[in-house]
Each structure stands twice: as C-alpha cells, then as structure tokens.
Amino acid sequence: MAYQSNQTYPNLLAADFNPGEYDSCTFTACNFSNLNFHGSSFENCSFRDCDLSNAKVFKVGFQNVRFERCKVLGVHFNTANAFLMEFTFDHCQLDYCNFFNLKLKKSRFTHSRLLEVDFTQAELQEASFQGSDLSGAVFDRTNLEKADFHEAVNYQIDPEINKIKGARFDLEGLPGLLGKWGIKVQ
C-alpha cells in the first residue's frame, strides 16, 4: 500500500484515487462519489469542496480528518476503523450518514446540514453541533455530555434516554428537548 505525506490533490475523480496511507494531505474539489476507499487511511488530512456521497469506508481509518464545504451524503462511518477516529465537519452536507456506536468525543459538526443522521449509541461528549441543522437526526442512548448545540436547529433529543449533563443549548432550542411531553415554549 502506498504512503503519501504532505501532498495536495486537486480535482481528482474516483477513478484517479489510489488506495493507501495518507498523512497530512489535502484533497481539493475532488469527486469521490460512490468510491470504495477500502484499504486506505487518512491521518491529519483535509477534504475541501469535495463530493464523497455514498462513498464506501469499510475499515478505513480517519484520524483527525477535516471536511470543509463537502457533500458527504449516505456514508456509513460506523463501518470505518473506529481506532482514534476524530472528525471536523464545517459547512458540510451530511444527510443520511451513519455514526452508530462510534466514539467521537470532541468531534465537530459545525454549520452543517445533518438530515436524518444516525447518532444512536454514539459517544459525543464535548462535540459541537454549533449552527447545524439536525432535522430528523436520531439521538438514542447517545452520550451528549458537554456537547455544544448553540445556534443548532431542528433537533429532537429525549433527555430521558440520552446523556445531556453539561450540554449547552440556546433558549430557542428548548422545544427540541421538550417535544416528547408536548410542551410548547413561546
């Protein structure tokens, strides 16, 4: 497997991608839609303005990986290598992604759209969802202690089945915590 370090890859297509170990690399404006990344690992890498929709990430390593303005639809991150997994998503579309049962402490999902994303049983202590749209996102037995939901919208979190001690919410977000009981905040 090839090892690449400190490289920049602009405008790649799925057919141009070579599986390997990537360290401190940057991928810019790449179209990796439907690509099978099997056999690859990314450490301290950045993806900017890329399309990774429906990419296959089975056993792929993601350690300290940053996505900026990327389209990442329908990716099952729960099948990736969970060892030291850490993400930053900024201004991304993450609709229909799956983070089931992952340890993502301190990960960032900021100013992004996360429609119907599955966070069931995920460990998201100190994660940030600041400024994100969480319409239909599933939080079920999820650890959200000390998570930041400032300026986040459209979330539904049941405090009885999720750990939310120390999590930060805006006053406008109270309906997302009280919806189960039919309480209306005006």
Side-chain angles (χ1 to χ4, degrees):
M1 178 166 38
Y3 175 78
Q4 302 294 326
S5 180
N6 296 306
Q7 300 293 314
T8 299
Y9 299 94
N11 303 308
L12 289 181
L13 298 175
D16 302 323
F17 180 80
N18 293 315
E21 294 181 38
Y22 293 88
D23 183 16
S24 303
C25 293
T26 301
F27 299 87
T28 306
C30 297
N31 186 347
F32 293 144
S33 172
N34 295 304
L35 176 63
N36 187 343
F37 282 101
H38 184 73
S40 298
S41 66
F42 302 93
E43 186 172 348
N44 303 311
C45 291
S46 294
F47 291 84
R48 296 186 182 120
D49 302 300
C50 294
D51 184 353
L52 289 92
S53 297
N54 298 310
K56 310 297 181 272
V57 296
F58 182 72
K59 298 205 182 248
V60 173
F62 293 99
Q63 296 179 10
N64 192 29
V65 177
R66 181 173 183 81
F67 295 88
E68 297 175 47
R69 299 175 307 277
C70 290
K71 187 176 178 183
V72 188
L73 307 179
V75 176
H76 291 263
F77 288 103
N78 60 314
T79 66
N81 181 349
F83 182 69
L84 297 176
M85 184 182 283
E86 185 179 348
F87 292 114
T88 296
F89 295 99
D90 188 32
H91 290 88
C92 292
Q93 292 180 28
L94 295 161
D95 304 352
Y96 313 109
C97 286
N98 192 328
F99 296 95
F100 172 77
N101 203 34
L102 290 177
K103 291 177 172 67
L104 297 171
K105 186 176 182 178
K106 296 184 180 181
S107 286
R108 308 277 202 234
F109 302 88
T110 57
H111 306 287
S112 295
R113 192 174 79 182
L114 297 104
L115 306 182
E116 307 287 331
V117 171
D118 187 357
F119 290 111
T120 300
Q121 296 181 11
E123 294 185 22
L124 293 161
Q125 302 94 316
E126 300 179 63
S128 178
F129 296 94
Q130 198 168 18
S132 290
D133 183 353
L134 294 155
S135 295
V138 177
F139 296 97
D140 182 4
R141 294 165 286 150
T142 306
N143 189 334
L144 297 165
E145 292 174 336
K146 298 183 182 177
D148 186 354
F149 286 89
H150 283 112
E151 300 175 9
V153 296
N154 301 320
Y155 52 83
Q156 295 292 320
I157 300 171
D158 184 344
E160 288 187 327
I161 62 170
N162 295 287
K163 295 179 181 179
I164 63 169
K165 184 177 182 178
R168 295 178 300 281
F169 300 92
D170 290 328
L171 189 58
E172 293 81 21
L174 280 179
L177 295 171
L178 303 173
K180 171 182 176 175
W181 296 288
I183 297 172
K184 305 243 188 272
V185 178
Q186 298 181 341

